[in-house]
Amino acid sequence: MTVPGRRSSTFTRLLRHGFTDPSAAERLLESVELAPIKADPVLLDALGATADPDLALLGLVRLVEAQDGSPAQRELLDTLIAAKPLRDRLLGVLGASAALGDHLARHPLDWQALVTYEPRDLHPGVEEFERGLASATDPVSLRVSYRRCLLSIAARDVCGTTDLAQTAAELADLATATLRAALAIAHAAAPDDAAQCRLAVVAMGKCGGHELNYVSDVDVIFVGEAVEGADEGKAMQAASRLASHLMRICSETTVEGSIWPVDANLRPEGRNGPLVRTLSSHLAYYQRWAKTWEFQALLKARPVAGDIELGDEYVATLAPLVWHAAERENFVPDVQKMRRRVVENIPVAEVERELKLGPGGLRDVEFAVQLLQLVHGRADTSLRSGTTLDALKALAAGGYVGRADAVQLDEAYRFLRSMEHRIQLYRLRRTHLVPEEDADLRRIGRSLGLRADPVVELNREWKRHAAVVRRLHEKLFYRPLLDAVAQLAPGETRLSADAARERLVALGYADPAAALRHLEALASGVSRKAAIQRTLLPVLLGWFADSADPDAGLLNFRKVSDALGKTPWYLRLLRDEGAAAENLARVLSAGRLAPDLLMRAPEAVAVLGDGDGGRGGLGPRPRAHLEQEILSAVGRAAGGEQAITAVRGVRRRELFRTAATDIVASYGTEEHPAVTDQGALVDLVGGAVSDLTAATIAGALRAAVRWGSSRSSEAEGGGGWGETLPTRFAVIGMGRFGGHELGYGSDADVLFVHEPRDGVDEQEASRAANAVVSEMRRLLQMPSADPPLLIDADLRPEGKTGPLVRTLNSYEAYYRRWSLVWESQALLRAEVVAGDEDLGRRFIELIDPLRYPAEGLGDDAAREIRRLKARMESERMPRGADPTLHTKLGRGGLSDVEWTVQLIQLRHGWAEPGLRTTRTREALAAACAAGLLGGEDAAILDEAWVLATRVRNAVMLVRGRAGDTFPSDGRELAAVGRYLGYGAGDSRRQGAGSHSGDMLDDYRRITRRARAVVDELFYGG
């Protein structure tokens, strides 16, 4: 008798045996059904060994209740206590699967399928399962027989009689037998159709790979042929009816539920293509239209049902195409982009729980293994297995994967697949999400042998194995390239030189021999530097391969490493700061400009490290900070040339920072996707380069004033003036400089204005001002490896024939008497950039009436502007240039948009304050807001202007020199396209050529639309 308030000894024993609801379990044990065995200690021990003792006990009571009469109940209970194999199997299944418990309650005699325990029963194959399904004559009986067979597979699995690979193989064999049985039912239902055709069922995916889950779509492809003498069209219709019936038999829900969906969407053209094709039709499709992923899918093709001879012929016919898929252009990026696309499509709320598709999930292992198979399976037939674990073992044996990496991946894959099996087995539902409830996690953990603290242990092991997969899945492809050129431990197998070259070619390297030499130089040896490089390079090689020029990326990395390899912070930066290594890889492989800047100042690599901006420490610095640094450097210098050297150093570093920011934002990183707002990137570069140019000119002005010209005498005003020039002096930015729209290769258009200080003779002031201008230009144009900063003053009054610098009064007199309409237009972009702020402000006040004339521009002046524009189009276009692709002077290019906007400013700026800006996009937006042009027209002009500006920036980044047209070299053109977002993140890429063509087509289309708007607004229709 139990004392009130105290728990019974049974309650305590139940807790000790793993029951979570001992009270309910105690009631079940006291039920009449279990009366004959409730006192037997064997029962409690067996229940406690299951994944969920509460679930197992409930399932047992339901099974005993369902037996037909007392003799049947007694037989079950006696056998349960007497036969340990049955006890372990039956209770193990009941404790792991509520769905199979339900099946046993509906079909109470099926427990006898677990009694047999003979050697041939341990590892059944297709023949044994076919015998198990032989009695099925319709979809309902097929489901019952299928579940009975599944019961035995699950029993062997949960008891540990079979391992993960054997269980997955048995599930695939059961699926094979089921497909054959379903096809037989379909044949019996339509014998006339069966007589007209040969139909082969080819398994794909996990079924084809002999590694199926408990609940998974069974992917298939159907191949049909007409029998001799039959009409092919009618035969294909008959085959399609049989295939459709087979799919329904397996997929439809009946009183016994469904088996699994049969999915034929991997067929040519997917769900839009015919369900059944002839072999010749399949071949024609794969030869002409198939995408890379479709060849990847064929790795697992295996005939399983119907006309096996036809299925074998299908596999043999397509095999040569599969094993040459790696020769396709952009093959590796295609596969990798497909993987990234899968991850991107996972709902955000599910990413961390996604066991199959998430980062560090099963698909990472499968993709990595398949990638290596396709690259190396051409020459090594031992790799041609559809089973992931078998293929991984073969890759390790052949030296294509490091043995330690293969062992770790094998363990991780087995654990993750086992988790997936246990999750699906519970309800027999197709899912890859790790449950969130502790009760579910506890059951899964216990089923995997984690008994001390199942929930904590399961989460820890899951995260550990996922981290291993995340770390290794991409490295798996690149690591052996280093082993091919490094010293290996005894017993390790080296990737052959041919295999290494093969892999590099697949990655897109044009000169694999040179790439191997670079890898050898970087990674060979036993130094700490080489060890860190061996850690970094597998990942860097992948990032280089994601560019248009992997060879350049690797070569540039070697150059930077040679320059900085002995600097302790360099490799530490790349190893320890998450953003730095990927940012560097993007920058080094995106073209010539950024690497050239970095080579001349390798220490600038530090700007690529982690910072507060989300993309590392990148991001333009404010103009005030730049000027402060530059003017301080000038103040510390001992002379003008030393000062300008310091100024150029800052400019070089900051130009690199801007280019790196632009490249990383355009390419995107693993953590941060590419910026999609192209206008924002144009504004970023234009503002940053313009601010840097203004700060550079301010530094050159300070140096020229302080030291004067070393080539001029004191009498010529060239001996230096210290801190104060005898005349006030200002630099006015013009053109794209004044508009904050400079590109990487733009000249700086300027005007120089001065005003003698009180008491200073005008001639003396003029000599000083001219000396300063000459010295500024000399200093900025001194020979240097840096990108030149050319000062262009040709927009001054009287152009090249007029004086370089004028007084404010001289400007006023000239503009009052001689100013032409083109000068008013040019002054729309005028803005003070350096020198005396008060003088600059008064200059702006002087020109405002010219650029924003009262009552707007007259008709005659407007006609003159149109005439000038037409003349420029006909005379200044370079000979032989394609006018549809010239970014500056071509149709719908920069000139078209800017002249249109400027005409609106000249006409309406006096009345619309928003138009009084030097910036094209701001003026365009203001004109739209004021109703001077429609929103659609404004968007068309803005899109064209932004695109043309981006192309100019891209050309400079890629070629290292300015240009207004697209490059003619194919690789350079592809690099421009990659910068503009063509070829990024598209899993169906067909090569750089198609992307370059798409880019040029898009450019022509966008600028053609812009020109139509220009014709309407500028030329008046």
Side-chain angles (χ1 to χ4, degrees), residues 472-534:
L472 290 181
H473 91 276
E474 285 193 354
K475 190 182 88 168
L476 202 67
F477 195 81
Y478 305 108
R479 171 68 69 187
L481 290 171
L482 305 187
D483 293 340
V485 297
Q487 295 295 319
L488 299 183
E492 281 288 323
T493 306
R494 183 191 301 274
L495 190 68
S496 70
D498 286 343
R501 280 193 292 272
E502 197 172 48
R503 195 172 295 191
L504 286 164
V505 169
L507 281 167
Y509 287 83
D511 189 349
L516 283 172
R517 288 196 299 272
H518 299 325
L519 291 176
E520 184 172 11
L522 288 163
S524 61
V526 295
S527 66
R528 178 175 174 276
K529 170 187 170 183
I532 295 176
Q533 290 282 24
R534 285 194 291 272

Side-chain angles (χ1 to χ4, degrees), residues 781-967:
Q781 293 174 14
M782 285 171 55
S784 167
D786 292 318
L789 176 54
L790 300 178
I791 302 298
D792 188 341
D794 289 353
L795 292 176
R796 65 188 184 270
E798 301 178 74
K800 294 180 180 180
T801 62
L804 271 173
V805 58
R806 290 174 180 261
T807 65
L808 184 63
N809 289 336
S810 176
Y811 274 107
E812 191 275 333
Y814 174 85
Y815 287 137
R816 185 178 67 251
R817 295 186 62 188
W818 309 108
S819 176
L820 299 175
V821 66
W822 71 264
E823 291 175 299
S824 296
Q825 181 182 356
L827 289 170
L828 286 167
R829 314 294 292 276
E831 183 171 292
V832 184
V833 294
D836 189 292
E837 292 183 6
D838 179 66
L839 177 60
R841 177 183 55 77
R842 286 186 284 129
F843 179 85
I844 297 301
E845 290 174 352
L846 167 68
I847 65 172
D848 271 350
L850 286 171
R851 55 184 182 174
Y852 309 125
E855 304 303 324
L857 195 69
D859 290 342
D860 289 344
R863 278 193 293 272
E864 176 64 12
I865 287 178
R866 295 189 185 101
R867 188 187 66 79
L868 289 171
K869 175 74 168 67
R871 178 181 171 189
M872 184 180 71
E873 288 179 7
S874 64
E875 295 180 359
R876 294 181 59 185
M877 178 71 71
R879 181 175 298 177
D882 184 345
T884 67
L885 294 176
H886 197 280
T887 59
K888 183 177 180 181
L889 302 174
R891 179 194 68 189
L894 296 171
S895 175
D896 270 358
V897 177
E898 289 168 4
W899 281 59
T900 301
V901 171
Q902 288 160 14
L903 183 59
I904 294 173
Q905 288 180 284
L906 287 166
R907 280 179 156 178
H908 304 283
W910 66 279
E912 293 292 339
L915 292 174
R916 298 171 203 166
T917 175
T918 62
R919 307 184 185 208
T920 302
R921 298 188 73 210
E922 281 188 9
L924 185 57
C928 179
L932 300 175
L933 77 165
E936 184 179 355
D937 287 347
I940 289 171
L941 293 179
D942 185 74
E943 182 183 22
W945 188 88
V946 166
L947 177 58
T949 304
R950 287 274 287 163
V951 171
R952 290 182 100 199
N953 286 343
V955 169
M956 184 66 184
L957 285 170
V958 170
R959 302 179 68 195
R961 60 181 188 273
D964 291 317
T965 59
F966 288 88

Side-chain angles (χ1 to χ4, degrees), residues 380 382-385 389-400:
D380 189 343
S382 70
L383 305 180
R384 299 181 181 183
S385 170
L389 291 176
D390 290 347
L392 181 59
K393 183 178 179 181
L395 287 165
Y400 304 100

Side-chain angles (χ1 to χ4, degrees), residues 992-1006:
S994 67
H995 287 297
S996 297
D998 290 344
M999 172 179 65
L1000 297 179
D1001 288 346
D1002 286 348
Y1003 183 86
R1004 289 188 172 103
R1005 174 179 54 80
I1006 290 168

Side-chain angles (χ1 to χ4, degrees), residues 506-837:
L507 281 167
Y509 287 83
D511 189 349
L516 283 172
R517 288 196 299 272
H518 299 325
L519 291 176
E520 184 172 11
L522 288 163
S524 61
V526 295
S527 66
R528 178 175 174 276
K529 170 187 170 183
I532 295 176
Q533 290 282 24
R534 285 194 291 272
T535 301
L536 293 169
L537 278 166
V539 183
L540 289 169
L541 285 170
W543 288 326
F544 294 147
D546 190 34
S547 73
D549 195 349
D551 300 82
L554 182 56
L555 172 61
N556 289 330
F557 180 69
R558 180 180 175 184
K559 289 178 179 178
V560 173
S561 295
D562 287 347
L564 290 175
K566 295 181 180 178
T567 307
W569 57 263
Y570 167 63
L571 290 174
R572 188 169 63 245
L573 171 82
L574 299 184
R575 183 192 63 193
D576 298 339
E577 296 202 19
E582 185 173 7
N583 290 345
L584 179 62
R586 300 297 184 198
V587 167
L588 293 181
S589 55
R592 295 180 184 174
L593 177 64
D596 287 351
L597 290 168
L598 186 58
M599 298 310 164
R600 288 192 286 275
E603 66 280 359
V605 76
V607 308
L608 299 172
D610 289 337
D612 298 328
R615 296 179 184 275
L618 299 175
R621 295 172 63 205
R623 177 171 166 181
H625 292 183
L626 295 173
E627 281 197 16
Q628 183 180 16
E629 181 182 2
I630 284 175
L631 295 179
S632 296
V634 172
R636 291 190 298 269
E641 294 187 3
Q642 186 184 69
I644 207 65
T645 299
V647 171
R648 281 176 163 176
V650 176
R651 178 172 181 260
R652 182 190 314 122
R653 184 195 69 218
E654 296 304 321
L655 203 55
F656 171 75
R657 187 195 303 270
T658 300
T661 302
D662 186 18
I663 290 166
V664 171
S666 298
Y667 272 55
T669 65
E670 292 183 355
E671 291 295 324
H672 301 279
V675 173
T676 56
D677 186 348
Q678 303 289 299
L681 291 176
V682 164
D683 293 343
L684 180 145
V685 173
V689 177
S690 299
D691 285 347
L692 179 56
T693 300
T696 302
I697 288 175
L701 174 59
R702 175 69 61 87
V705 170
R706 173 168 287 193
W707 290 286
S709 173
S710 60
R711 299 181 181 182
S712 302
S713 66
E714 293 280 350
E716 293 171 317
W721 298 272
E723 297 297 325
T724 305
L725 195 65
T727 185
R728 295 182 181 85
F729 188 93
V731 183
I732 311 298
M734 300 288 285
R736 299 179 78 79
F737 185 18
H740 296 257
E741 297 162 357
L742 285 181
Y744 297 110
S746 301
D747 296 347
D749 292 316
V750 297
L751 298 178
F752 299 109
V753 58
H754 78 104
E755 183 180 66
R757 296 186 184 277
D758 293 343
V760 176
D761 178 71
E762 187 166 324
Q763 287 190 340
E764 178 190 351
S766 181
R767 282 197 301 271
N770 277 285
V772 165
V773 171
S774 296
E775 179 64 359
M776 285 176 63
R777 299 181 81 186
R778 184 186 76 83
L779 291 173
L780 290 170
Q781 293 174 14
M782 285 171 55
S784 167
D786 292 318
L789 176 54
L790 300 178
I791 302 298
D792 188 341
D794 289 353
L795 292 176
R796 65 188 184 270
E798 301 178 74
K800 294 180 180 180
T801 62
L804 271 173
V805 58
R806 290 174 180 261
T807 65
L808 184 63
N809 289 336
S810 176
Y811 274 107
E812 191 275 333
Y814 174 85
Y815 287 137
R816 185 178 67 251
R817 295 186 62 188
W818 309 108
S819 176
L820 299 175
V821 66
W822 71 264
E823 291 175 299
S824 296
Q825 181 182 356
L827 289 170
L828 286 167
R829 314 294 292 276
E831 183 171 292
V832 184
V833 294
D836 189 292
E837 292 183 6

Side-chain angles (χ1 to χ4, degrees), residues 50-96:
T50 65
D52 187 340
D54 301 86
L55 181 65
L57 177 58
L58 177 62
L60 178 61
V61 171
R62 293 177 63 206
L63 176 60
V64 175
E65 286 177 344
Q67 298 303 308
D68 186 14
S70 297
Q73 291 180 342
R74 190 70 198 181
E75 179 187 3
L76 168 61
L77 294 176
D78 287 347
T79 310
L80 185 73
I81 296 301
K84 185 179 188 305
L86 170 69
R87 184 167 62 248
D88 291 343
R89 289 179 171 196
L90 178 58
L91 295 182
V93 168
L94 291 174

